[in-house]
Amino acid sequence: MSKNAAQWSAPPKFPASHYVDSRIYTDQQIFDEEKEKLFRPAWIIACHESELQAPYDYRLFTHPAGVPLIIVRGDDRKVRAFYNICPHRGNTILYDPAGNAKRMTCIFHQWAFDTRGSCVEITRGEQGYQDRFCKEDASMREVRCEVAFGGFVWVNVTDDAPALREFIGGAMDILEPYMEQPMEVFHFHKALVRTNFKLWHDTNSEFYHDFLHYFNRITGMMQPGYYERRYTPFANGHASVGSMQIQYDKYDGSKERAVGWPGMARGGWYMVDLFPGMTYNLRTSVMRIDTSVPISPNEVLIEFRGLGLKADSAEERAQRVFDHNMIWGPFGRNLHEDLLGVTGQGRALRQGTDSRYLLHGREENNTIHDEVGMRHYYAEWSRRMGRAAYDPYREGKAEPVRAAA
Amino acid sequence: MIKGEQRQAIEDLVYRSCLALDARDYKTFLSLCDAEFRYTVTTHSPEIRRDMVWLDHDRKGMETLFANLPKHNSDHSPITRHATVYTVDAAGDAAEVVSAIQVFRTQLDGGATELFAVGRLHDTVKLADGAARLARRIVRLETRQLGYGYHVPF
Ligand code: FES
Ligand SMILES: [Fe+2]
């Protein structure tokens, strides 16, 4: 039997922690608040150290809160991060997404800065400013920056936010043993997707949608151990997912991922979802990192990276690239399915469609089809936003009675 | 030096390969390809300052890919490949062919067309007994932002 309008609008028969109001994915005001309350105080992955190999190498990154950043390796090899905003009249200092710049010179009036953020040149400074303003007054704005957890460059634009280690807590423990050898980025692409950034993170936080992926159904879901994979929630909204032995050879054209990963059992697969929108995904032979940059309530720019080991031989690297592309490249079987899936959500949930609730109600002892990953995320979301994800406008919806177990 | 009719046969091959893929007629596409055919999609990332390979298959791999695709959930909106053969250079009993390619995607609902990708085709064409066969295709993409992507190779 179908539902009428009243039934469609009635809250689901779950505890309120087990569903969310769909307006959290569409409302402009909530979106603006998310940038301030979730992204601005968070530690965010800007790039990987292998993208900045030599002194003076730089990389640009637009922080999800909106700030344009320069990540640059100094003459002392230390990696630092600065606003890519000229302190003179606000021009963009560096234009190319990556390069090598001993001096960072603004094209507009040629003020120049070194890799430690000091202004080293104000053109015709004395003539114009006499002794009223000098280079020391024209430093770049530096933001906190750390290389950690597999050589990734983390930035935080809030000076007094808790330290990176505190923010991550134990969430990366499951991956740390596999990140002792230096890694190297071999793949990068961005995808602009018409959906809310949280829907992408939700997809990375639940495996029930393995039904979407033919590849995962036959190499994972139908194999022993699949239903024993478990979610572990951590403080600050992070969660990890334990491994099983993926049977890659069950998919025609794929074969056992012989190149493997140091220390990891055959066919292993670990994931860590980091609040508010990053994912580490170590799938046997390849590390994938997703970083979400929200653009609008219904648009997210996702940066995808694929990494192998710095010590790879040419053959090993080629194998990792092949494994990556099979499911995760822009033509890969799984990535297209995942992105298509969240685009469909974006279409059905956009403002005015009368979508109401999304269910996060599956309970299976924190195993793979349990929706605890999303519930955990939205508990943290609600805490930081000061709004309940199930009642974001404080309309005082009564918590419905839980259906008999 | 490539003779006029050889150039004609080569251009014909490039265009027919696009028409076959546009129609998702993989059988016809593969019939245009040599037994040693290899297909690669490459691009360069100015962000990580590296050349990247996004797809790489020999003939067997392409056959398997085509056979697998119906089992997957894919975007069903059709794409059309617009190629223009720029240069044809003789290389023994083969020719190196460079073409420009633009790929357009047309939405099923409403039929809006968007430019999906631009790039170049670097083809090696084998010439034997007056017939031209595709031995190697490297699609060098300029476009790297492909939204939710696509399952069928360009
Ligand atoms: S705005 Fe940069 S030097 Fe003037
Ligand atoms: Fe997925």
Side-chain angles (χ1 to χ4, degrees), chain A residues 203 209-210 212-213 216 334 338:
Chain A
T203 287
H209 83 274
D210 272 344
L212 167 74
H213 301 306
N216 289 8
N334 287 13
D338 282 324

Side-chain angles (χ1 to χ4, degrees), chain B residues 48-142:
Chain B
I48 60 170
R49 291 180 286 173
R50 276 172 196 277
D51 292 331
M52 300 184 285
V53 171
W54 281 5
L55 205 64
D56 187 29
H57 287 297
D58 58 13
R59 186 183 172 112
K60 177 90 199 350
M62 288 302 271
E63 287 169 5
T64 311
L65 169 64
F66 293 144
N68 278 333
L69 287 187
K71 298 172 184 158
H72 288 270
N73 288 297
S74 305
D75 176 21
H76 296 149
S77 43
I79 60 172
T80 47
R81 297 157 182 80
H82 294 242
T84 305
V85 175
Y86 279 176
T87 58
V88 178
D89 293 305
D93 57 358
E96 299 297 332
V97 185
V98 178
S99 312
I101 186 167
Q102 300 95 42
V103 183
F104 295 86
R105 175 159 58 185
T106 300
Q107 297 300 329
L108 286 176
D109 189 357
T113 297
E114 62 184 358
L115 180 60
F116 195 8
V118 299
R120 296 265 164 85
L121 302 178
H122 291 252
D123 291 334
T124 304
V125 175
K126 266 195 195 165
L127 302 160
D129 315 321
R133 284 269 172 288
L134 205 50
R136 181 91 177 90
R137 167 161 287 174
I138 302 172
V139 183
R140 292 202 184 143
L141 286 180
E142 260 335 297

Side-chain angles (χ1 to χ4, degrees), chain A residues 50-51 53 57-59 97-100 184-192 212 214-215 217 251-253 301 317 321-322 325 330-337 339-340 343, chain B residues 39 41 43 45-57 60 64-65 67-69 71-76 105 107 141 144-154:
Chain A
S50 62
E51 295 164 54
Q53 298 197 13
D57 274 358
Y58 73 85
R59 185 79 176 81
N100 185 277
E184 188 170 74
V185 172
F186 62 74
H187 176 93
F188 178 84
H189 85 278
K190 297 185 184 194
L192 182 64
L212 167 74
Y214 172 69
F215 188 94
R217 287 202 304 273
Y251 182 88
D252 203 13
L301 187 67
R317 181 58 61 85
V321 171
F322 181 89
N325 290 340
F331 296 93
R333 266 21 79 69
N334 287 13
L335 189 72
H336 177 54
E337 290 172 336
L339 292 171
L340 208 53
T343 303
Chain B
Y39 175 95
V41 178
T43 185
S45 164
E47 299 98 343
I48 60 170
R49 291 180 286 173
R50 276 172 196 277
D51 292 331
M52 300 184 285
V53 171
W54 281 5
L55 205 64
D56 187 29
H57 287 297
K60 177 90 199 350
T64 311
L65 169 64
N68 278 333
L69 287 187
K71 298 172 184 158
H72 288 270
N73 288 297
S74 305
D75 176 21
H76 296 149
R105 175 159 58 185
Q107 297 300 329
L141 286 180
R144 303 184 309 287
Q145 227 183 89
L146 297 171
Y148 47 68
Y150 210 69
H151 270 159
V152 181
F154 292 164

